[in-house]
Amino acid sequence: MTEERAQMPSPDPPSSKGQEAQRTFNKITDYYDLMNRLMTLGRHAVWCRDVAARTRVPSGGRMLDVATGTGVIALAALKKYPNSTIHAVDFSDRMLTEAASKPGASAIRWQHADANDLPFGDEFFDAVTHGYLLRNVDDVERVLAEQYRVLKRGGRVVILETCPPQGLLRYPVTLGVRVLIPLLGQVVARDRESYAYLQKSTLGFMTPEEVVAILRRVGFASIAWKKKFFGTHMIISAEKQ
């Protein structure tokens, strides 16, 4: 089994939705960690550690963090599993540069890659993680199928995502998200446009049940999920059997 597929000189251009997401994340890199802390009242780093812990990477194993951004999940996994090999990929060069500059980041293998076509061989990883990836892709099923392909039998995928609030809190929380995220973007990052996009992708994404249905179609089993932060976030785990 080879570690990586043959690499092209440059990745294929992303789709229209991917291009919009790529432009957005390249623009907000300098404020990304701060905004995540503010928008989640400091819970983002805790959730990323939870995601890393749920992978159960064995000693000497390999983990892939897709859409790694500034590397919060990847670095949390390295701390949790210091004897493992952590690969982290993203399609934003600016995000990768920021992630690779953090303390301890030299131990992680950073790489530019497209989530639709991961440059790794079949059944190569013991675990795959990602945060806020699925809401920014055109074909969620294709992206999850790629992760299924690179996972070993018994390997786990752990997902951190936003989800639309439901129940009694649906309307006040939705109003809060619509107002707060663009406002914070304007005040902190001075970029209301980018955070208006993130607000729309947050409220417009799938429910946990919809993501679970796709995971099952792809072939995953032992699926579990829980909501966070007034029902606006979710962590989902599943296994390849």
Side-chain angles (χ1 to χ4, degrees):
M1 182 185 303
T2 59
E3 175 174 335
E4 299 183 3
R5 292 175 171 177
Q7 297 293 293
M8 298 298 291
S10 61
D12 292 335
S15 65
S16 57
K17 186 173 182 179
Q19 288 175 341
E20 182 179 9
Q22 190 176 54
R23 285 193 299 268
T24 297
F25 286 103
N26 277 331
K27 284 174 65 179
I28 67 176
T29 300
D30 294 341
Y31 299 95
Y32 187 70
D33 287 337
L34 174 59
M35 286 292 293
N36 277 340
R37 286 197 296 273
L38 292 174
M39 290 188 297
T40 65
L41 301 180
R43 302 303 295 169
H44 175 68
V46 176
W47 299 337
C48 290
R49 290 195 293 272
D50 190 4
V51 168
R54 289 171 181 273
T55 60
R56 305 173 190 169
V57 181
S59 180
R62 291 186 288 251
M63 191 198 93
L64 172 66
D65 185 37
V66 187
T68 191
T70 55
V72 181
I73 293 176
L75 288 163
L78 182 66
K79 187 173 183 179
K80 178 72 175 178
Y81 309 106
N83 295 322
S84 63
T85 300
I86 308 296
H87 294 250
V89 301
D90 203 289
F91 67 178
S92 168
D93 290 325
R94 289 202 66 209
M95 285 285 187
L96 286 170
T97 299
E98 175 67 20
S101 70
K102 291 185 173 182
S106 60
I108 294 174
R109 301 185 182 187
W110 308 99
Q111 185 174 342
H112 189 292
D114 185 344
N116 293 284
D117 187 19
L118 296 171
F120 303 99
D122 296 352
E123 300 190 2
F124 185 69
F125 292 102
D126 297 281
V128 174
T129 59
H130 46 95
Y132 312 129
L133 163 66
L134 299 181
R135 63 180 179 162
N136 293 306
V137 302
D138 289 292
D139 190 340
V140 170
E141 188 159 341
R142 173 178 173 177
V143 166
L144 290 175
E146 262 297 271
Q147 294 170 21
Y148 187 90
R149 179 185 66 79
V150 301
L151 268 175
K152 297 177 181 178
R153 297 287 175 181
R156 293 170 60 83
V157 62
V158 187
I159 302 164
L160 171 63
E161 261 299 348
T162 57
C163 60
Q166 297 174 311
L168 294 177
L169 292 176
R170 176 182 177 184
Y171 293 106
V173 171
T174 296
L175 178 61
V177 170
R178 285 177 174 165
V179 173
L180 181 61
I181 293 179
L183 180 61
L184 281 173
Q186 177 66 41
V187 173
V188 177
R190 300 190 180 183
D191 185 355
R192 188 179 186 90
E193 179 184 0
S194 294
Y195 282 92
Y197 163 78
L198 294 177
Q199 169 255 310
K200 291 176 183 176
S201 65
T202 295
L203 294 176
F205 189 58
M206 301 174 182
T207 64
E209 293 86 352
E210 290 172 317
V211 177
V212 167
I214 296 174
L215 285 164
R216 286 188 176 132
R217 286 203 303 270
V218 168
F220 284 103
S222 302
I223 303 171
W225 58 271
K226 62 180 180 178
K227 288 186 176 181
K228 302 280 189 179
F229 206 59
F230 308 109
T232 61
H233 290 68
M234 56 184 168
I235 295 178
I236 303 176
S237 61
E239 294 182 4
K240 177 176 179 176
Q241 295 184 337

